[in-house]
Amino acid sequence: MSIGRVFVLGHSQDKECVSREVGRRTTSITVPRDKCGVETVQHGKGAGYTSSVNIVISFHDKFLTKVDRAYNITCLFAPTGDVVSYALTVQPSLLKDIQVLADQPSCEYEVFDVRTRRPAEVVHVNAPLEHVWTCDGANLDLFCMRVHDCVINEGKSRRRSKIIDSEGCSLDTTRLPNLRYDNNKLSARVMSKAFRFGDDVAVEFECNVRLDLRNGTSCPRPRC
């Protein structure tokens, strides 16, 4: 039976910084970003940040031996649109870069008929509607979400009218009030009434959703 441990250098007595998986051929460790001596460096606004930590793989439950290995792990967290990569450096040994592409959330926008709780397709003027933006997938706790630059395509004329600005604030709260964000999920929603332009019967909403890397425990919200 294999007996050993994986721990953060200098934190072998901290339970959150140690992993013991006895009897397995493979092992792993999860290190909190704000604990265990993890060093985080911000690279300027919008440029992301790196977090570094030294990990030790020890083949003895209590002592360090000559066959143990130390790893300096640096993780680069880049804003959405760029690749989130993990660069792994192993010492002492031949150096080999390992890159892993992290899955990023996918987002969707739906409008629901409040009375039926189904996606709205054909509704009457002044019918109550709920606009919902949601992002789902892996690594949700790494990101903050903001809906911005929404426009309305006005039926046959295809004239475009902006309804939400670049900061995420409504430009016409009578038609579309300011959005409410869920603090525990990547989602936003708002209630409105169905409306139309002149004789046009088709109204199309189009929005942008931006995912920024979370810096701390809460996400900044638009100040409207």
Side-chain angles (χ1 to χ4, degrees), residues 70-156:
Y71 297 79
N72 174 256
I73 299 177
T74 300
C75 300
L76 168 64
F77 298 90
T80 183
D82 296 329
V83 174
V84 179
S85 61
Y86 298 78
L88 179 65
T89 302
V90 182
Q91 295 177 339
S93 180
L94 292 176
L95 298 181
K96 183 178 181 180
D97 291 335
I98 299 176
Q99 290 187 332
V100 180
L101 302 183
D103 293 331
Q104 294 185 350
S106 59
C107 303
E108 65 178 3
Y109 172 31
E110 294 181 289
V111 180
F112 293 93
D113 186 327
V114 173
R115 291 171 296 190
T116 64
R117 300 309 304 167
R118 295 178 178 273
E121 295 181 357
V122 179
V123 295
H124 296 288
V125 172
N126 286 328
L129 303 174
E130 184 177 29
H131 301 252
V132 181
W133 296 261
T134 56
C135 297
D136 199 8
N139 306 311
L140 296 181
D141 60 333
L142 295 180
F143 296 96
C144 291
M145 168 193 181
R146 179 169 296 194
V147 179
H148 65 99
D149 290 303
C150 294
V151 297
I152 302 172
N153 294 320
E154 301 178 11
K156 296 179 181 179

Side-chain angles (χ1 to χ4, degrees), residues 23-200:
R24 295 183 55 183
R25 296 178 61 87
T26 61
T27 189
S28 63
I29 185 172
T30 300
V31 182
R33 284 191 297 138
D34 57 346
K35 298 179 180 179
C36 302
V38 176
E39 295 183 358
T40 299
V41 178
Q42 196 79 32
H43 295 291
K45 185 176 181 180
Y49 58 90
T50 56
S51 294
S52 300
V53 67
N54 295 317
I55 299 293
V56 176
I57 296 181
S58 176
F59 294 89
H60 194 281
D61 191 46
K62 295 182 179 180
F63 305 108
L64 291 178
T65 69
K66 66 179 182 180
V67 296
D68 296 342
R69 290 291 181 266
Y71 297 79
N72 174 256
I73 299 177
T74 300
C75 300
L76 168 64
F77 298 90
T80 183
D82 296 329
V83 174
V84 179
S85 61
Y86 298 78
L88 179 65
T89 302
V90 182
Q91 295 177 339
S93 180
L94 292 176
L95 298 181
K96 183 178 181 180
D97 291 335
I98 299 176
Q99 290 187 332
V100 180
L101 302 183
D103 293 331
Q104 294 185 350
S106 59
C107 303
E108 65 178 3
Y109 172 31
E110 294 181 289
V111 180
F112 293 93
D113 186 327
V114 173
R115 291 171 296 190
T116 64
R117 300 309 304 167
R118 295 178 178 273
E121 295 181 357
V122 179
V123 295
H124 296 288
V125 172
N126 286 328
L129 303 174
E130 184 177 29
H131 301 252
V132 181
W133 296 261
T134 56
C135 297
D136 199 8
N139 306 311
L140 296 181
D141 60 333
L142 295 180
F143 296 96
C144 291
M145 168 193 181
R146 179 169 296 194
V147 179
H148 65 99
D149 290 303
C150 294
V151 297
I152 302 172
N153 294 320
E154 301 178 11
K156 296 179 181 179
S157 68
R158 305 304 293 174
R159 188 177 68 177
R160 293 164 64 87
S161 301
K162 181 171 281 193
I163 190 70
I164 294 180
D165 66 15
S166 60
E167 296 300 318
C169 296
S170 175
L171 298 174
D172 187 347
T173 55
T174 302
R175 289 180 177 173
L176 194 71
N178 286 310
L179 278 56
R180 294 177 290 106
Y181 288 83
D182 190 321
N183 291 327
N184 299 317
K185 300 178 181 178
L186 293 183
S187 69
R189 61 187 65 232
V190 66
M191 303 290 291
S192 74
K193 300 283 188 179
F195 58 87
R196 59 186 288 182
F197 297 93
D199 294 330
D200 287 330

Side-chain angles (χ1 to χ4, degrees), residues 5-17:
R5 53 186 173 149
V6 181
F7 61 91
V8 178
L9 187 63
H11 295 267
S12 61
Q13 303 303 315
D14 189 335
K15 293 182 178 180
E16 289 189 288
C17 311

